[in-house]
Amino acid sequence: MSPVDTTFRWPVRIYWEDTDAGGIVFYANYLKFFERARTEWLRHLGVEQQKLREQVGGMFVVTGTQLRYHRPARLDDLLTVTARVTEPGRASLTIEQTASLQPADGSAPILLCEGSIRIGWVDAVQLRPQRIPTAVLQALAPGNQ
């Protein structure tokens, strides 16, 4: 039996606002694309961040990033941005993310950027680390994705 693919995929279209003076995606915008994909991935799993903040008093914060750029994206490109937990923990998670170009001809995706994003759970008021709520950890478990 082959392992279940737990990678979440989210489409992102490149607009003028995403590009720099050279007509390519500004490097920092990949972090925005990754953030959007993580948010949609959590929503897909039934984890609504605003509701958690209001009901549980905690939230996720980014504590570290590491990115590698392979090729540029350009205006009107359609990307697929992925998110997948690689290091689950009780107070933090490491999420592997990629942004790939989806060629119009249907050929294989082209990797543009890949990264590792570490997020931690904190008290929303004091910003002190806390354990991730059990319900959130259960939603993130491989069998639930």
Side-chain angles (χ1 to χ4, degrees):
M1 178 182 260
S2 62
V4 176
D5 182 8
T6 58
T7 303
F8 178 77
R9 292 168 175 76
W10 187 253
V12 172
R13 177 72 66 186
I14 303 303
Y15 302 115
W16 277 114
E17 67 189 31
D18 300 320
T19 62
D20 61 16
I24 61 175
V25 169
F26 181 64
Y27 73 95
N29 284 341
Y30 287 96
L31 288 169
K32 292 180 182 182
F33 303 156
F34 287 176
E35 176 73 26
R36 290 177 199 163
R38 285 194 312 277
T39 298
E40 294 301 333
W41 165 65
L42 289 171
R43 184 173 285 127
H44 171 77
L45 296 173
V47 178
E48 296 181 42
Q49 294 184 79
Q50 184 61 30
K51 190 179 286 184
L52 276 175
R53 183 177 176 162
E54 292 167 359
Q55 295 176 352
V56 181
M59 63 185 188
F60 283 114
V61 295
V62 173
T63 61
T65 64
Q66 184 176 24
L67 300 180
R68 179 155 186 211
Y69 302 95
H70 297 277
R71 295 179 140 183
R74 299 177 189 280
L75 180 66
D76 290 331
D77 282 349
L78 179 60
L79 310 184
T80 296
V81 180
T82 66
R84 180 176 68 89
V85 173
T86 56
E87 292 179 34
R90 298 192 56 91
S92 65
L93 307 167
T94 300
I95 302 166
E96 177 184 286
Q97 295 197 255
T98 64
S100 299
L101 175 66
Q102 295 303 130
D105 66 4
S107 58
I110 300 166
L111 180 63
L112 304 179
C113 180
E114 61 185 327
S116 176
I117 313 297
R118 187 135 182 102
I119 59 174
W121 184 261
V122 298
D123 174 273
V125 175
Q126 298 175 349
L127 300 179
R128 293 180 190 239
Q130 293 185 330
R131 288 186 175 206
I132 300 169
T134 302
V136 174
L137 289 175
Q138 289 173 344
L140 296 171
N144 296 329
Q145 297 181 34

